[in-house]
Amino acid sequence: MQGKLVMVSTPIGNLGDISKRAIEAFENADSVVVEDTRVTAKLLSSLGLNRHVIRCDDNVIARLTPMLLERIAQGETIVFCSDAGTPSVSDPGAYLVSAALDEGLEVEVVPGASALLTAFVASGFITTSFYFGGFLPRKLGEKNKLFESLRNLDAVLIFYESPNRTVASLKAIAEAFPLREVVLARELTKLHEEVLRMPAADLVKELSHRDKPLKGEVVLLIGPPPFEETENTVSWDAVRARALDLLRGGMARSSVVKQLTTEFDVPRNTLYRIVHKLKV
């Protein structure tokens, strides 16, 4: 009987976020494939489990994948998990999933904690779209090139960043997007969780006044383009006035957004933010 590959999400800080399905997946696994055996060993120990653990990071996953797929084909259940969070997001898990699908093997995903989604919800940005770019480039020139390519994207821009490079990245963001609000989220679900929302230049000032260096995993979220940043010639006062008329007439907000898209040459996400911020 053919086995399966199970992608298991693990807590990003608070062990209380481990799911019943995740525990069952570990219990039923023939082997657990991980980025760092030390990290996952601690998690398994806290659950009272003793499983065969295989280290499989970016350096070795291409070499180990054929062996893992062969074991699945012979009937074994192989669990893959990241150090923390949802696998295949900025880790080598996607390579293994793609290879398993190419071989026609069963892949099961156990959902759970995600720093990306936790930070997005905590940001409070009103939008229907976001772009996730993984870890920001290390070099300033590459950062600037990336920001320029995303300038006209009507979405929240989300990146992971090392605490050691966060201030430098915030300075680059302040230069590229001076009018946008930015959220710094770190240590999510942990004891010292922190979510700050302000322009990037203000975040740089805030961090520069601290006595201790920044620690913990960092997520940076750049808000969607404000009205002032767009080159559209539409009168925003006219858009708001029309939206208010429709809302006061009893139209639902979702219907107002749909109606405004037919009347104004403005991106839907921008209209969505305008309508949902209006008080009637």
Side-chain angles (χ1 to χ4, degrees):
M1 180 178 294
Q2 180 177 291
K4 61 182 175 180
L5 170 65
V6 186
M7 307 297 288
V8 175
S9 302
T10 56
I12 59 176
N14 190 324
L15 289 179
D17 293 331
I18 190 74
S19 71
K20 181 179 179 181
R21 281 189 64 198
I23 296 173
E24 291 175 348
F26 285 129
E27 290 175 338
N28 296 326
D30 292 294
S31 291
V32 178
V33 179
V34 302
E35 286 187 280
D36 189 324
T37 55
R38 295 166 299 179
V39 173
T40 304
K42 291 180 181 179
L43 173 63
L44 294 174
S45 176
S46 71
L47 298 174
L49 299 176
N50 182 19
R51 287 291 175 271
H52 179 231
V53 179
I54 302 172
R55 185 181 183 110
C56 194
D57 57 23
D58 281 317
N59 297 317
V60 298
I61 192 165
R63 175 169 58 83
L64 294 183
T65 291
M67 176 270 291
L68 295 173
L69 298 185
E70 178 63 24
R71 290 177 58 179
I72 294 171
Q74 292 177 358
E76 292 191 24
T77 295
I78 301 293
V79 162
F80 180 95
C81 66
S82 305
D83 290 349
T86 300
S88 294
V89 181
S90 291
D91 77 16
Y95 183 93
L96 186 57
V97 171
S98 179
L101 293 176
D102 286 343
E103 293 297 319
L105 300 175
E106 180 182 355
V107 177
E108 179 182 336
V109 178
V110 178
S114 165
L116 162 66
L117 294 179
T118 302
F120 177 67
V121 174
S123 74
F125 286 132
I126 300 175
T127 182
T128 58
S129 304
F130 68 81
Y131 165 92
F132 175 61
F135 281 90
L136 279 169
R138 290 172 178 257
K139 296 181 179 179
L140 178 60
E142 294 178 1
K143 282 191 182 80
N144 291 338
K145 185 177 180 180
L146 174 62
F147 293 154
E148 185 59 33
S149 70
L150 299 172
R151 179 172 302 281
N152 296 322
L153 191 62
D154 189 25
V156 173
L157 310 178
I158 307 177
F159 302 97
Y160 289 161
E161 186 53 291
S162 160
N164 299 330
R165 297 190 295 271
T166 294
V167 171
S169 289
L170 286 172
K171 290 179 179 178
I173 294 171
E175 184 70 24
F177 305 110
L179 300 179
R180 301 196 194 186
E181 283 198 309
V182 175
V183 166
L184 183 155
R186 69 179 189 90
E187 295 287 78
L188 293 171
T189 78
K190 299 177 183 177
L191 179 62
H192 300 293
E193 175 177 297
E194 182 176 36
V195 178
L196 301 174
R197 174 171 159 172
M198 61 188 76
D202 292 340
L203 280 171
V204 172
K205 293 178 183 178
E206 164 66 25
L207 297 179
S208 66
H209 292 154
R210 299 188 177 185
D211 297 329
K212 297 181 180 179
L214 202 65
K215 293 184 179 180
E217 298 177 347
V218 174
V219 185
L220 296 176
L221 303 93
I222 305 170
F227 313 136
E228 298 84 355
E229 194 177 293
T230 67
E231 298 178 358
N232 203 300
T233 57
V234 170
S235 167
W236 298 115
D237 288 338
V239 173
R240 294 188 186 92
R242 177 60 173 151
L244 281 171
D245 286 342
L246 294 173
L247 289 171
R248 288 167 179 164
M251 186 178 288
R253 291 182 187 265
S254 58
S255 298
V256 170
V257 173
K258 185 176 181 180
Q259 177 62 31
L260 292 178
T261 59
T262 67
E263 299 181 15
F264 297 93
D265 182 21
V266 178
R268 185 180 183 280
N269 281 333
T270 302
L271 294 173
Y272 182 91
R273 291 194 295 277
I274 292 174
V275 171
H276 282 76
K277 284 186 176 181
L278 289 175
K279 296 180 180 179
V280 182

